[in-house]
Amino acid sequence: MQVTVLGAGIVGLAAAWELSLRGHAVTVIDRAAPGHGASGGNGAQLSYSYVQPLADPSIWAQLPKLLLSRTSPLKLRPQLDPQQWRWGLEFLGACNAETSRSTTEQLLALAMRSRAGFESMMATLQPDCDFSATGKLVIYRSQAALDGAARQVELQSELGSAPQRIVSPDECIVIEPALVTVRNEIAGAVYTESECAADCLKLCIALVDALQARGVHFILGETIDGFALRGDSISAVTTSRGAVDGDAFVLSLGSASNALAQRLGVRLPVYPLKGYSITLAVDETPGAAPTVSVTDSAHKVVFARLGQRLRVAGMAELVGADASIPAARIESLVASTRAVFPNCSDFAELNPWTGMRPATPTGLPIVGHLPGAPRNLLFNTGHGALGFTLSFGSAGRIADALDEFGPSPALPEPGRGRETKG
């Protein structure tokens, strides 16, 4: 079957990888270079076991700060945008215990599958992506917050997650000596020994090389304009330079997916959550920079070691598709880093980045068919801050959905799935 994947971020590339493994002929289209959307400078953590969704009952108590505080790591800035208001209301509607539990269960199942797919890819490809499996600490600065985390750990244990445990401040220092500076500021942490980290952009580049070697065709630097329909199916996707046909299409364009789906009369509850990161060269002195991944839950900042670099990422802003990088947001990440790991770097180069995480109100990605959409269109978007973590699980589900079409037909004639002149 000829499958055209729209999007060359980690979610689209993982889908292309899985589809190619299953014998499909694959074309990937994107207007940007692979991995240069929300994937490029993400938090780098592969969080397979601690997947608590942002839509949680605790949001209600935080709402005044989210709306009014200039320093809040989560920002809701109302605009004259009906999509933003609708998404925001649906998000608040999802902030209840029942929805949070259901979302957690589904995210854990998808994450478990994703781990298996990722590990299989790593064994086959062995990419240079600064992969590490040193575990993760999620630190909490109050006993109340730690108690809430303990309840989440208990829930996830019931749902079959990898082993996790609550650790004391002293145990935190044993696990990650670089946390000694904040020993007296934390109540404890959730420790997951099996969690991992990797440079998502490096992996995207390695995947492209491997996919091209497998015969996957890439059309990059092209704007996707819309679709050509034949009956209840898509016959081709139209681009700035022509049409690209296919037997099936996978929409993996992140936060840009909604605008394209609307041209088919399909509404996706996906809105960008803007995040930021910096990447620092680390001081190699033992105990200066962390080797274990760390999440500072109070400040919503994550720290992931990538070889001789430290990725620091955080914040979630519901501010539309604004790609600017305000100096204040980068300064906030620097301040957060200095506060937790004051000796980790000389902070000479920050490499600031921003990306638009494609989020659904519940936190569950949209993977597969949707009612009212063309029958040969599969959606693969809305992964929020867990795109890297969930990408290979989603890829498996996309490939399963295509298998439901029946046995793959003979490969198309030369030129099928390639760019044609309009």
Side-chain angles (χ1 to χ4, degrees):
M1 184 179 294
Q2 175 64 52
V3 186
T4 301
V5 176
L6 310 181
I10 186 60
V11 171
L13 292 175
W17 173 263
E18 181 65 27
L19 292 167
S20 176
L21 289 179
R22 298 203 193 185
H24 298 288
V26 181
T27 295
V28 179
I29 308 175
D30 204 313
R31 67 180 180 182
H36 280 266
S39 303
N42 66 17
Q45 293 184 348
L46 291 160
S47 184
Y48 297 116
S49 298
Y50 200 71
V51 294
Q52 184 173 17
L54 183 62
D56 183 81
S58 65
I59 286 291
W60 289 103
Q62 302 174 44
L63 198 56
K65 181 179 180 180
L66 300 184
L67 291 170
L68 302 173
S69 174
R70 297 182 61 185
T71 60
S72 172
L74 303 178
K75 283 192 175 182
L76 305 177
R77 292 294 182 263
Q79 301 175 356
L80 295 177
D81 180 355
Q83 292 186 50
Q84 185 201 50
W85 281 87
R86 183 170 181 177
W87 189 97
L89 291 172
E90 291 175 342
F91 170 75
L92 291 175
C95 292
N96 61 78
E98 181 179 355
T99 301
S100 181
R101 178 187 173 92
S102 174
T103 299
T104 296
E105 182 174 11
Q106 294 177 72
L107 287 175
L108 276 174
L110 185 56
M112 290 177 199
R113 180 169 188 176
S114 198
R115 180 193 284 274
F118 181 88
E119 290 177 348
S120 175
M121 176 277 299
M122 290 290 290
T124 300
L125 189 56
Q126 297 184 347
D128 175 14
C129 62
D130 294 319
F131 175 79
S132 64
T134 53
K136 183 172 75 170
L137 284 164
V138 182
I139 62 173
Y140 294 88
R141 294 175 179 265
S142 72
Q143 189 60 48
L146 185 63
D147 291 343
R151 291 190 291 271
Q152 181 71 11
V153 166
E154 183 178 358
L155 168 62
Q156 293 181 166
S157 177
E158 294 172 0
L159 298 175
S161 75
Q164 299 175 294
R165 58 190 175 96
I166 303 297
V167 295
S168 69
D170 287 336
E171 289 176 296
C172 287
I173 307 309
V174 172
I175 295 166
E176 179 46 73
L179 284 170
V180 66
T181 303
V182 293
R183 158 64 182 80
N184 296 326
E185 300 175 21
I186 59 178
V190 174
Y191 178 51
T192 312
E193 186 175 3
S194 61
E195 299 289 52
C196 311
D199 187 319
C200 188
L201 179 57
K202 281 189 173 183
L203 179 58
C204 286
I205 293 169
L207 280 169
V208 171
D209 290 343
L211 287 167
Q212 288 179 324
R214 294 180 62 87
V216 172
H217 182 56
F218 283 82
I219 302 174
L220 303 174
E222 300 298 327
T223 302
I224 300 169
D225 298 321
F227 302 96
L229 299 176
R230 183 182 298 127
D232 62 354
S233 299
I234 296 171
S235 59
V237 59
T238 57
T239 75
S240 52
R241 286 175 52 192
V244 182
D245 57 4
D247 301 309
F249 298 81
V250 180
L251 183 54
S252 300
L253 287 172
S255 59
S257 299
N258 190 30
L260 202 57
Q262 285 181 340
R263 300 183 187 186
L264 296 168
V266 178
R267 180 203 170 241
L268 296 178
V270 174
Y271 199 81
L273 282 183
K274 185 179 182 181
Y276 302 88
S277 76
I278 55 176
T279 306
L280 310 168
V282 299
D283 186 325
E284 296 287 351
T285 304
T291 57
V292 172
S293 290
V294 174
T295 296
D296 184 346
S297 63
H299 297 109
K300 301 292 190 291
V301 176
V302 302
F303 305 88
R305 185 69 173 264
L306 299 173
Q308 281 70 54
R309 299 169 297 144
L310 182 67
R311 174 68 49 77
V312 184
M315 307 174 200
E317 298 181 347
L318 197 69
V319 294
D322 174 12
S324 65
I325 305 180
R329 303 310 265 166
I330 300 306
E331 290 166 3
S332 176
L333 287 178
V334 171
S336 293
T337 307
R338 289 186 184 276
V340 181
F341 303 113
N343 303 312
C344 71
S345 174
D346 61 9
F347 296 89
E349 293 187 18
L350 302 179
N351 301 294
W353 173 91
T354 189
M356 306 296 166
R357 310 181 191 104
T360 64
T362 63
L364 277 178
I366 301 167
V367 183
H369 296 283
L370 285 182
R375 62 177 300 274
N376 62 340
L377 175 62
L378 297 169
F379 296 88
N380 192 20
T381 187
H383 296 72
L386 292 172
F388 194 12
T389 296
L390 301 177
S391 56
F392 284 85
S394 298
R397 290 189 179 179
I398 289 294
D400 289 348
L402 279 181
D403 288 346
E404 294 177 3
F405 285 155
S408 298
L411 291 180
E413 298 175 2
R416 283 292 306 272
R418 305 253 175 176
E419 180 184 25
T420 59
K421 299 298 182 182

